[in-house]
């Protein structure tokens, strides 16, 4: 209760702050060749990418706070057009799309905001952020010198800029917005449009500037950005990037710290040593603004995932995981990196460019030094004797190197950068990770018994407790189920009918088979085939209510052997989308479903061209003013809203273990919310493919596709990273856990509804809690003193007081948990890694007792890495290392015991 009241007070305080009109004293933002100039001062800025719709508003304050604690100065987000204007002229700025609230929360935290309006965003988001109704506007061509498109784009961009101005959210109004973006990676496809593309870039810049936002605009990946627009870099590495004018600063709008994932794919992982190397090299070589894409990836709730075939999770191997938990050591190592860069900021902003010194064949130094008093630095002239900061880089992918800089030797690990804020003492090296590792666990939490079902709890044969043994079910009709349908000659394009109101579209026709056809097949030992030129994303083929084949892919050809009965046969085709295309030129022409001809081969009289047959569809009408869909599309259960509690139109029946379901079935049950505050996940490993809802909230698509068994080799951080390096999760389902935000749950009787397409066992579904229960760290005597103490030492650009400071191991538990036990501790020469530590030949006998005394029962602790702390030197002449593994649990109960 105390924790809840504390959270409530914090939440109410934030809400009060959000309602205030001004978050800062109004300031202007300009720029020169070196950096953005905030209120007259050059700044080195760290930005954290967070997409507000990929979390809930209740999650936003914590995500922003953890970003700030991690060293961010700026939050960056796209603006999602299709979420804000689902119907032309009808706007949505509520719930997860409450952009104003999100921006105000950023301002109330003391951070700046970079708003990437686009309005094309890519972002692995459905249709790249474009509303699907946009493609229905006559004569429209997206993202080129096309009048209908430019009119719609200008209207929406103007809407967003005016909204931000009305809410006084620009810097010159006292708000947090310091920078905007128009278009997005257009340079990748500009040549496709020829002269029209070049004219469009110029128009977009003029249009944006005409809105009078009063802050700089950027275009990422746009080498021909006009003079008054900053062009910026998006890549894994941007240390060699130069803008297209010497008057513009070097900005990195997307540092890809992970990558997105497709169904059936392996999970990408970018080692934090390489990520830190890339960031340090960027600032080393003149960069001034860097944004992590993503700092928090989040979740593609509902049908927002793009693609096709991108999974529901958008975790992105980010410093904050999909559930909002810190991903260690990535978050902690980057936090130290940011602190080191901030210590160098006085020198970085004072020097117009660094001095380059070659130290070896693959070793170099960049020195930022000035004898001039830098504007904005709080030093009196009597205190100022010049400022100097240096980055030492070893870009060799294999070998460490010893270099001499200013008569002092430095050992540089391979593929690393050392940061010397005072040009003498190293405070950080990108390859030497001192941050703890947090092991994320997904554990079962047994729900309370529901009042709706007498025996909600169930223990499976493997000892795992499942969500419920009481399930209800109803079959989804395999047909054009609505009486409101229409019949036309030929095949209609999928999106022209559904308008993306559903993944699903039924096509129905009748095939007549004569006795002569059957005899012809028997005599010639042939079978008829259904041939379709091109299909995307999924096709399911039914004859007389029975499924006979499937096809999956991006515009794949289909050749399916069929079996017909004499007389009339019902041929049903079901096409499905799994996220609309989000990248590339001519998105308006991409579409989905069936392209080209459909024919039946092998008939006695020859092939039958079904492209000219009569096909029946459920009725759909387009309002030509608002471009909204009127009518019935998709599944019956979608139309009748089986996923909401108030629905009384469905004929639900009890599900038993021996019931064989049709390929398409709906399931529902109730469950109680797990106790505590840990994030909640649904384990859907027992299911096939479909969609899930909790209390009417669409959790997203699920699909239990398994990734290839090969390709997950041991990861080496050294060397250039790409999305095929350091892959994980080989031979396992790509995604089995699905985030259920706490704010979508009530204490008891939460409604879970599943739509299953290919078959699965709902009795095996369980609710899990995601938490970081195990923490580990490993630190040696040769590591650097803690950056927090160096920052607090009052460093003012002069030489650091580093000689008398010892390295320290810092351990902490997340989200209010405490260190309940130390399961391993060894000071000396420990072996192994997290969860497999072992003692080496050298071990201080006091290791476990000293670490337990310092840490047990606390939320965080620091341990000095020294012989003195552990009562003496356990082995002379050897560099000692401390390795610790600890367990985090909920705080102790009133009787002193821990809740496990």
């Amino acid at each position: 209760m105390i924790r809840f009241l504390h959270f409530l007070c914090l939440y109410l305080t934030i809400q009060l702050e959000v309602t205030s009109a001004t978050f800062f004293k109004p300031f202007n933002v300009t720029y020169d060749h070196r950096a953005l100039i905030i209120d007259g001062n050059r700044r080195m800025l760290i930005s954290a990418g967070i997409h507000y719709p990929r979390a809930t508003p209740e999650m936003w304050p914590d995500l922003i706070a953890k970003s700030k604690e991690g060293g961010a100065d700026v939050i960056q987000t796209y603006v999602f057009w299709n979420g804000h204007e689902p119907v032309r002229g009808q706007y949505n700025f509520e719930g997860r799309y409450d952009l104003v609230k999100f921006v105000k929360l950023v301002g109330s935290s003391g951070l700046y905001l970079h708003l990437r309006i686009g309005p094309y965003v890519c972002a692995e988001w459905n249709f790249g952020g474009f509303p699907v109704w946009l493609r229905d506007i006559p004569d429209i061509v997206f993202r080129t010198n096309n009048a209908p498109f430019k009119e719609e784009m200008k209207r929406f961009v103007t809407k967003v800029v005016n909204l931000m101005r009305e809410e006084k959210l620009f810097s010159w109004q006292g708000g947090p917005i310091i920078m905007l973006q128009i278009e997005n990676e257009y340079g990748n496809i500009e040549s496709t449009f020829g002269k029209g593309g070049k004219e469009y870039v110029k128009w977009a810049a003029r249009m944006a500037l005409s809105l009078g936002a009063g802050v700089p605009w950027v275009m990422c990946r746009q080498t021909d950005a006009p003079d008054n627009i900053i062009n910026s870099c998006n890549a894994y590495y941007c240390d060699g990037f130069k803008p297209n004018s010497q008057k513009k600063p070097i900005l990195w709008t997307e540092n890809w710290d992970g990558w997105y994932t497709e169904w059936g794919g392996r999970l990408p992982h970018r080692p934090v040593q390489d990520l830190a190397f890339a960031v340090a090299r960027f600032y080393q070589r003149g960069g001034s603004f860097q944004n992590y894409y993503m700092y928090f990836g989040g979740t593609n709730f509902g049908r927002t995932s793009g693609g096709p075939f991108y999974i529901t999770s958008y975790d992105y191997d980010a410093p904050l995981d999909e559930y909002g938990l810190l991903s260690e050591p990535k978050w902690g190592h980057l936090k130290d990196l940011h602190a080191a860069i901030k210590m160098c900021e006085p020198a970085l902003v004072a020097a117009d460019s660094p001095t380059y010194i070659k130290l070896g064949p693959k070793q170099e130094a960049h020195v930022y030094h000035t004898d001039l008093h830098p504007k904005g630095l709080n030093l009196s002239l009597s205190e100022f004797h010049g400022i100097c900061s240096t980055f030492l880089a070893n870009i060799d992918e294999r070998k460490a190197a010893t270099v001499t800089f200013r008569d002092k030797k430095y050992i540089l690990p391979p593929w690393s950068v050392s940061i010397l804020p005072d040009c003498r003492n190293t405070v950080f090296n990108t390859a030497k990770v001192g941050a703890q590792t947090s092991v994320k666990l997904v554990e079962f939490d047994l729900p309370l018994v529901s009042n709706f079902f007498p025996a909600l709890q169930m223990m499976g044969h493997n000892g795992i407790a499942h969500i419920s043994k009481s399930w209800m079910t109803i079959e989804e009709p395999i047909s054009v189920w609505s009486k409101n349908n229409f019949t036309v000659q030929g095949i209609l394009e999928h999106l022209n009918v559904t308008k993306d109101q559903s993944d699903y579209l039924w096509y129905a026709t009748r095939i007549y088979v004569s006795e002569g056809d059957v005899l012809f097949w028997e005599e010639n030992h042939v079978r008829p085939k259904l041939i379709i030129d091109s299909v995307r994303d999924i096709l399911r083929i039914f004859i007389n209510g029975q499924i006979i084949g499937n096809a999956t892919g991006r515009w794949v050809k289909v050749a399916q052997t069929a079996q017909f009965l004499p007389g009339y046969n019902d041929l049903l085709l079901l096409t499905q989308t799994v996220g609309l295309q989000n990248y590339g030129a001519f998105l308006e022409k991409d579409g989905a479903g069936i392209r080209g001809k459909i024919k039946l081969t092998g008939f006695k009289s020859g092939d039958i061209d079904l492209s000219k047959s009569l096909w029946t569809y459920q009725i759909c009408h387009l309002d030509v003013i608002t471009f909204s869909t009127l009518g019935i599309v998709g599944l019956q259960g979608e139309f009748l809203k089986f996923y909401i509690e108030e629905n009384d139109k469905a004929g639900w029946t009890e599900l038993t273990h021996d019931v064989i379901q049709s390929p398409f079935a709906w399931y529902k049950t109730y469950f109680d919310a797990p106790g505590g505050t840990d994030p909640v996940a649904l384990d859907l490993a027992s299911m096939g493919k479909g969609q899930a809802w909790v209390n009417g909230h669409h959790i997203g698509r699920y699909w239990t596709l398994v990734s290839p068994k090969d390709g997950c080799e041991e990861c080496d951080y050294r060397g250039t990273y790409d999305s095929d390096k350091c892959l994980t999760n080989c031979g396992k389902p790509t995604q089995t856990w699905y985030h259920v935000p706490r704010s979508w749950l009530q204490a008891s009787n939460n409604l879970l509804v599943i739509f299953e397409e290919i078959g699965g066992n709902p009795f095996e579904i369980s609710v899990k809690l995601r938490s970081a229960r195990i923490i580990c760290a490993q630190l040696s005597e040769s590591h650097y003193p803690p950056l927090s103490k160096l920052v607090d030492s009052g460093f003012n650009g002069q030489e650091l007081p580093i000689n008398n400071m010892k390295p320290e191991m810092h351990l902490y538990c997340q989200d209010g948990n405490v260190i309940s036990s130390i399961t391993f501790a060894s000071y000396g020469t420990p072996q192994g890694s997290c969860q497999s530590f072992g003692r080496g030949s050298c071990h201080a006998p006091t290791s476990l007792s000293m670490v337990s005394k310092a840490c047990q029962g606390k939320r965080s602790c620091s341990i000095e890495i020294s012989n003195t702390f552990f009562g003496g030197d356990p082995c002379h002449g050897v560099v000692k290392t401390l390795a610790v593994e600890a367990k985090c649990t909920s705080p102790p109960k009133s009787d002193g015991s821990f809740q496990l």
Side-chain angles (χ1 to χ4, degrees), residues 223-353:
T223 56
D224 61 348
D227 287 344
N228 41 15
I229 302 288
I230 307 171
N231 63 304
S232 61
C233 182
N234 291 358
Y236 288 116
Y237 306 92
C238 284
D239 52 285
F241 173 77
K242 300 296 180 185
N244 61 5
S245 168
Q246 295 182 354
K247 298 178 181 179
K248 300 177 183 180
I250 300 173
L251 308 184
W252 190 359
T253 39
E254 289 188 17
N255 176 3
W256 303 327
D257 51 16
W259 202 241
Y260 57 86
T261 309
E262 296 187 13
W263 296 111
R266 310 168 187 89
L267 300 182
H269 165 66
R270 186 177 185 185
V272 69
Q273 298 96 321
D274 174 72
L275 179 58
F277 171 80
V279 174
R281 286 286 284 169
F282 176 72
Y283 289 97
Q284 175 180 1
R285 300 182 66 187
S288 61
F289 174 100
Q290 181 267 157
N291 172 73
Y292 292 102
Y293 189 101
M294 300 296 298
Y295 199 78
F296 164 79
T299 307
N300 296 310
F301 295 115
R303 298 171 52 253
T304 57
S305 182
F309 304 117
Y310 297 157
I311 68 173
T312 296
S313 171
Y314 201 64
D315 185 86
Y316 220 87
D317 194 35
L320 298 178
D321 74 8
E322 176 182 2
Y323 300 84
L325 298 174
L326 306 183
S327 292
E328 294 284 28
K330 185 167 278 190
W331 183 86
H333 192 53
L334 294 177
K335 178 182 179 181
D336 289 343
L337 169 64
H338 303 155
I341 291 170
K342 289 300 180 183
M343 292 178 74
C344 300
E345 185 174 17
L348 294 177
V349 300
D352 280 342
S353 61

Side-chain angles (χ1 to χ4, degrees), residues 567-588:
Y568 285 100
N569 293 258
D570 291 321
L571 174 62
L572 280 166
L573 305 179
L574 178 69
T575 57
Q576 297 175 227
T577 54
V578 190
L580 302 186
Q581 187 74 23
N582 60 261
Y583 179 77
F586 304 113
L587 287 181
E588 72 282 354

Side-chain angles (χ1 to χ4, degrees), residues 167-215:
E167 296 288 341
K168 299 183 179 180
L169 296 176
F170 289 111
S171 63
W172 51 272
Q173 299 174 297
I177 299 176
I178 61 170
M179 193 160 55
L180 300 170
Q181 179 177 301
I182 193 69
E183 252 302 335
N184 186 55
E185 295 186 338
Y186 186 68
N188 297 8
I189 64 167
E190 180 180 339
S191 61
T192 307
F193 298 101
K195 183 179 178 181
K198 292 186 178 296
E199 292 300 317
Y200 170 69
V201 171
K202 296 175 184 176
W203 169 84
R206 291 194 305 270
M207 182 270 290
L209 292 167
S210 72
L211 300 178
V215 296

Side-chain angles (χ1 to χ4, degrees), residues 431-703:
K432 299 181 70 171
V433 179
Q436 73 178 35
T437 295
S438 296
V439 180
K440 304 285 181 60
L441 302 176
V442 182
E443 304 169 313
F444 181 80
D445 183 273
L446 195 65
L448 301 175
V449 176
S450 167
N451 294 327
F452 282 75
F453 292 82
L456 185 62
Q457 301 170 357
M458 174 185 179
M459 191 67 66
H461 66 278
N462 55 3
I464 297 176
H466 302 123
I467 190 170
S468 176
K469 71 175 184 181
S470 299
W471 284 85
M472 306 293 283
T473 186
I474 186 171
E475 292 188 7
E476 173 68 29
I478 300 177
S479 65
V480 177
W481 49 269
S482 172
K483 295 181 181 179
N484 296 316
N485 56 59
F486 66 101
T487 301
V488 296
Q489 186 177 28
I491 295 295
L492 299 181
E493 196 273 331
H494 182 109
L495 290 180
N496 282 342
V497 180
T498 68
K499 308 304 178 186
D500 198 37
Q501 299 301 303
S502 170
D503 282 356
Y504 309 93
L505 176 64
W506 287 106
Y507 307 69
T509 193
R510 300 197 105 188
I511 307 297
Y512 181 75
V513 174
S514 68
E515 296 287 351
D517 288 322
V518 175
L519 183 62
F520 176 77
W521 297 334
E522 292 174 350
E523 290 177 347
N524 293 277
H525 304 288
V526 298
R527 294 180 64 185
K529 284 187 176 180
L530 178 68
I531 308 293
I532 305 177
D533 284 349
S534 189
V535 169
R536 172 183 168 179
D537 301 333
I538 293 177
L539 171 72
R540 305 195 191 281
I541 305 168
F542 300 84
I543 294 179
N544 299 323
Q546 299 299 312
I547 188 165
I548 66 164
N550 299 278
T552 301
R554 299 173 174 86
W555 300 122
V556 296
K557 187 172 183 177
V558 176
Q560 176 65 49
T561 301
Q563 185 170 351
F564 295 100
L565 300 173
Y568 285 100
N569 293 258
D570 291 321
L571 174 62
L572 280 166
L573 305 179
L574 178 69
T575 57
Q576 297 175 227
T577 54
V578 190
L580 302 186
Q581 187 74 23
N582 60 261
Y583 179 77
F586 304 113
L587 287 181
E588 72 282 354
K589 298 178 181 178
D590 191 67
I594 297 171
R595 275 183 180 173
K597 291 186 176 181
I598 301 181
K599 64 181 178 180
L600 284 171
T601 64
F603 279 70
K604 181 179 180 180
S605 58
D607 295 349
I608 301 174
D609 186 358
L610 296 180
S611 307
K612 299 178 181 178
S613 296
L614 295 175
W615 290 86
T616 300
Y617 307 83
Q618 279 157 201
I619 193 166
C620 177
H621 172 68
L622 181 67
D623 187 317
V624 296
I625 297 176
T626 64
F627 296 102
S628 60
T629 303
L630 305 175
I632 301 171
V633 295
L635 305 176
Q636 183 185 60
E638 290 178 302
F639 179 73
L640 296 179
K641 298 182 178 180
F642 285 178
Y643 47 83
I644 62 174
E645 182 63 53
E646 291 77 13
N647 173 50
D648 57 0
K649 300 178 182 178
W652 294 95
T653 60
E654 185 176 353
L655 177 67
T656 59
H657 286 272
D658 57 348
V659 171
I660 299 175
Q661 292 297 307
S662 67
F664 280 10
W666 294 81
Y667 305 102
K668 78 171 181 177
T669 192
Y670 294 86
F671 68 97
D672 295 336
T677 58
D678 290 332
V680 178
L682 278 177
D683 186 344
L684 298 178
S686 65
M687 305 304 289
K689 180 185 181 301
Q691 301 179 41
W693 292 260
V694 171
N695 293 330
H697 297 282
H698 197 170
I699 300 302
R701 301 183 184 95
Y702 67 85
W703 199 355

Side-chain angles (χ1 to χ4, degrees), residues 807-827:
E808 291 182 7
M809 177 183 287
H810 181 66
L811 298 172
Y812 70 93
C813 294
Q814 295 191 40
D815 297 336
N817 293 322
V818 298
I819 300 171
S820 58
S821 63
I822 305 298
T823 54
F824 179 87
S826 179
Y827 176 69

Side-chain angles (χ1 to χ4, degrees), residues 1-11 676-677 815-816 859 891-894:
M1 177 60 74
I2 294 175
R3 291 173 66 192
F4 172 76
L5 292 174
H6 173 74
F7 174 80
L8 181 62
C9 291
L10 175 63
Y11 181 79
T677 58
D815 297 336
R859 293 184 178 179
K893 301 176 182 179
S894 58

